[in-house]
Amino acid sequence: MTPKPALSLTCSEEVAAARREGRPLVALETTILTHGMPWPANVETALEVEAIIRAGGAVPATMAILEGVPRAGLTRPELEALGRATGVAKASRRDLAVLAARRATGATTVAGTMVLAGMANIAVFVTGGLGGVHRGATRSLDISADLTELSRTPVGVVCAGVKSILDIGLTLEVLETQGVPVLGYGTDRFPAFYVADSGHAVPARVDSPEEAARVLAIQRAWGLGGLVLANPIPAAEALAGEAIEAVIAETLADAEAQGVRGKAITPFVLAELNRRTDGQSLRANIALIRHNASLGAAVAVALAALR
Ligand code: PSU
Ligand code: MN
């Protein structure tokens, strides 16, 4: 007989203790581990990001569904097993209940991680890049569930903007429609992952973790949903915009020619970019997520100080 489904979240000891003591917590996703970066850089980066968050005075809560159980805080062996596994499901909002009912394992996307962070009452979440509106979405209607999740779940997502594998202008339009604040951290420009400036302005700017935390506290108190805190990649780590843009355009054309669709597109493009840039895109990806981890920890600490 199939066991009964797990109806609530299971926290690691570290996460449970932090919740009891009201210490600042930072959620982390796992799709980046299973679909965003190759082994072993994926596991090394995940462990490093957790260490940066601890050094910043907060507690990391890496999210996944393991054998049907929604989890906040993974052990090192669990992280390594996920990072080495192939064929793990990519879990967005709509996949969570199906995976849990089947006692299956899934790596959570930004949307899926936000849902679990909401269940654990964790206010801050650090990742690399958000999903968004895909190029050609006026025909395909391929718009990441990350954007609608931001409108309903009160979590502040620290990211380096979105990759230009997406249509950045349309992504910002949908975030506006969904009522999602987009805050530039120390910048008036919306960042585009590998480059600090996408060519689009941000609707609002903050210049300190405290300022970001104040906006997030009000979003949460008023039930207004989440927000995006867009943290530009440090100048020393940024890639040359035109060169990376050309590789992205080529890779997207190949994806289309090979019939790659839906949730398979982002993982396909990330793996191909890494291969075609000789690891440059991966190095930039690692640098920016580390940078986001220290900002995320600082925002979580500032938010805890407001309570
Ligand atoms: N963008 C990146 N790296 C990633 C992702 C997006 O630069 O790893 C992952 C995130 O987990 C994000 C998901 O939530 O892809 C979006 O997938 P989709 O486009 O299928 O919604
Ligand atoms: Mn999609």
Side-chain angles (χ1 to χ4, degrees):
M1 214 178 75
T2 314
K4 286 191 180 153
L7 294 180
S8 58
L9 188 83
T10 298
C11 295
S12 67
E13 265 173 47
E14 186 188 20
V15 170
R19 289 180 65 197
R20 267 195 316 270
E21 294 157 17
R23 281 159 53 207
L25 281 142
V26 174
L28 297 165
E29 63 153 307
T30 38
T31 294
I32 195 170
L33 197 75
T34 53
H35 295 73
M37 285 185 193
W39 188 84
N42 58 351
V43 175
E44 287 161 14
T45 306
L47 292 169
E48 240 184 310
V49 162
E50 289 192 342
I52 292 170
I53 288 168
R54 288 190 190 99
V59 172
T62 301
M63 306 291 192
I65 293 207
L66 299 186
E67 294 174 355
V69 182
R71 298 278 306 271
L74 304 185
T75 64
R76 189 180 172 139
E78 286 168 341
L79 261 182
E80 292 197 356
L82 263 188
R84 280 173 182 270
T86 52
V88 175
K90 178 172 159 185
S92 187
R93 166 180 276 266
R94 72 157 180 195
D95 307 300
L96 298 173
V98 175
L99 290 168
R102 290 184 183 154
R103 292 267 160 182
T105 291
T108 48
T109 64
V110 169
T113 303
M114 288 181 75
V115 172
L116 299 194
M119 286 164 74
N121 194 28
I122 297 175
V124 178
F125 165 22
V126 163
T127 188
L130 273 186
V133 180
H134 283 260
R135 296 187 189 177
T138 47
R139 262 186 319 110
S140 68
L141 281 184
D142 189 349
I143 301 172
S144 175
D146 294 354
L147 303 185
T148 37
E149 197 61 43
L150 278 158
S151 74
R152 63 208 290 184
T153 303
V155 174
V157 180
V158 184
C159 64
V162 302
K163 282 203 176 75
S164 59
I165 64 173
L166 301 171
D167 187 319
I168 298 178
L170 291 188
T171 299
L172 288 167
E173 286 294 340
V174 170
L175 286 168
E176 179 178 355
T177 305
Q178 294 292 330
V180 179
V182 177
L183 312 177
Y185 189 76
T187 179
D188 297 306
R189 314 297 297 170
F190 188 66
F193 207 78
Y194 303 121
V195 295
D197 182 358
S198 63
H200 298 268
V202 279
R205 166 181 180 147
V206 294
D207 288 288
S208 66
E210 292 70 28
E211 218 184 328
R214 279 198 293 275
V215 180
L216 182 57
I218 294 166
Q219 281 287 110
R220 288 170 62 79
W222 293 359
L224 296 178
L227 61 78
V228 176
L229 181 58
N231 189 28
I233 186 169
E237 314 284 355
L239 301 183
E242 278 168 25
I244 190 74
E245 189 50 44
V247 185
I248 286 172
E250 256 172 50
T251 307
L252 285 174
D254 291 351
E256 165 123 33
Q258 293 175 34
V260 181
R261 283 206 183 62
K263 70 201 290 185
I265 291 181
T266 307
F268 173 90
V269 174
L270 297 181
E272 276 302 301
L273 280 182
N274 178 33
R275 201 173 63 75
R276 295 178 191 197
T277 61
D278 253 332
Q280 264 191 28
S281 70
L282 178 62
R283 280 191 292 280
N285 200 341
I286 293 169
L288 66 84
I289 189 166
R290 297 174 47 133
H291 186 59
N292 293 346
S294 33
L295 177 58
V299 173
V301 168
L303 189 68
L306 288 177
R307 285 201 297 263

